Amino acid sequence: MTKFGELISVQKPVLIDFYAELSDAETTVETLRSVAAALGDRAKVIKIDINKNEVLADALRVKGNPTFMIYKNGEMKWRQTGYQDANTLIGLVQQYF
């Protein structure tokens, strides 16, 4: 939890993908690579396995898979459960530059 606080307490937007290894994680990997490439160093893109981080997932009430969140300065700005395409995620993150 402390590390998570450090991850999200930065001035640039942080896009987080909460996923489960058992589901179709490969689809979101390619999507997130595209998002990270498009945003460069203006944002952080992070994947968190909910099965390996159950305490965090429970604390954030992550129930669906995947669940995407955008944080900036430690504050959640956006959250959505379900697949999102790269262009949608890029547009959402760019709103918080």
Side-chain angles (χ1 to χ4, degrees):
M1 292 292 271
T2 303
K3 276 191 143 186
F4 182 74
E6 292 172 13
L7 284 173
I8 63 170
S9 295
V10 294
Q11 291 186 356
K12 57 184 161 185
V14 181
L15 171 65
I16 303 172
D17 170 17
F18 288 92
Y19 73 100
E21 201 60 51
L22 301 174
S23 71
D24 190 7
E26 199 57 39
T27 304
T28 58
V29 168
E30 289 304 316
T31 300
L32 291 180
R33 281 188 185 136
S34 298
V35 172
L39 298 173
D41 63 355
R42 296 177 294 165
K44 289 170 118 179
V45 179
I46 300 168
K47 287 183 68 65
I48 297 177
D49 186 333
I50 58 177
N51 295 318
K52 294 179 182 173
N53 297 279
E54 289 182 21
V55 172
L56 177 61
D58 287 345
L60 294 172
R61 297 188 178 117
V62 175
K63 304 292 184 214
N65 180 38
T67 295
F68 295 95
M69 296 180 193
I70 297 173
Y71 282 86
K72 185 169 182 180
N73 296 320
E75 182 182 335
M76 185 187 303
K77 300 293 188 179
W78 175 85
R79 175 183 177 138
Q80 181 73 44
T81 299
Y83 177 76
Q84 303 290 316
D85 65 72
N87 288 334
T88 300
L89 291 171
I90 291 165
L92 287 162
V93 173
Q94 285 176 336
Q95 293 177 29
Y96 301 104
F97 283 165

